[in-house]
Amino acid sequence: GHIWVASACPNHFGAHSLDRLDALASLVGASTSVAGIVPSNPLTSEARLQEYGLVVTNPEGDILWANRGFENLCGYPLDELIGRRPRTLLHGPDTDEATARKMGAYMRAGSGFEAELVNYRKSGEPYRVRIQAEPIADRQDNIAGFIALETDVSAAPRGNGARSLEHDLLTAAID
């Protein structure tokens, strides 16, 4: 298999990020490539893409890699995220623990899930996030980790909204 990473700004992938992507790829027996793309729509600029947090964890939930959008969303730089669990960094007093437990149960079962909950930035500021997570399987169909797309929905009305762009981004990241 092969993991392709398409970016409007491929030069923003430093050696540390590329090493993490290669480590992730080796978990599932794949190789990686980073390719530049030219956005066909001005709304699909680097700033637009950074609105979406993408995070990859191992099966236990420890962060292996995150994009700049995730760093911007939670306020933690990548070096403070690697090896940590989102729950220990981002949950706080208004985080719905029942939802968090359900997310953990889905992960332990090797299943994808979608959830909304309140997380907290490094600064302590709360934000409501929509999480769409899918398992990553290795060549033997064992769960090698999870990939999650996280979107700040603090300003959006609660409930189901338009999700086509988020779905397309997550699907492209998994394919």
Side-chain angles (χ1 to χ4, degrees), residues 6-131:
S7 173
C9 298
N11 295 336
H12 284 206
F13 284 90
H16 184 69
S17 292
L18 292 174
D19 288 344
R20 292 290 177 183
L21 284 172
D22 287 338
L24 169 66
S26 70
L27 286 174
V28 295
S31 58
T32 60
S33 294
V34 176
I37 59 171
V38 177
S40 60
N41 181 333
L43 293 176
T44 312
S45 65
E46 178 185 2
R48 178 79 173 133
L49 292 172
Q50 287 185 20
E51 290 178 16
Y52 301 95
L54 192 61
V55 62
V56 177
T57 69
N58 64 18
E60 293 76 35
D62 302 314
I63 296 172
L64 301 174
W65 178 83
N67 74 343
R68 190 167 296 185
F70 188 78
E71 291 177 282
N72 293 342
L73 185 63
C74 70
Y76 287 92
L78 185 60
D79 63 337
E80 291 181 33
L81 293 168
I82 300 298
R84 307 281 304 274
R85 294 187 181 180
R87 164 179 231 144
T88 62
L89 289 173
L90 306 176
H91 291 188
D94 290 330
T95 301
D96 182 352
E97 285 307 313
T99 299
R101 282 191 299 276
K102 286 179 187 175
M103 291 167 47
Y106 279 113
M107 289 180 73
R108 285 187 298 281
S111 298
F113 63 88
E114 184 172 330
E116 282 188 19
L117 72 150
V118 174
N119 273 346
Y120 289 80
R121 292 183 172 88
K122 184 176 181 179
S123 67
E125 176 188 4
Y127 64 100
R128 178 163 287 283
V129 65
R130 179 186 309 127
I131 302 168

Side-chain angles (χ1 to χ4, degrees), residues 148-173:
L149 181 72
E150 301 200 6
T151 309
D152 185 343
V153 294
S154 300
R158 285 184 145 183
N160 293 335
R163 298 183 182 172
S164 61
L165 178 58
E166 291 92 339
H167 182 273
D168 291 347
L169 286 171
L170 183 58
T171 302

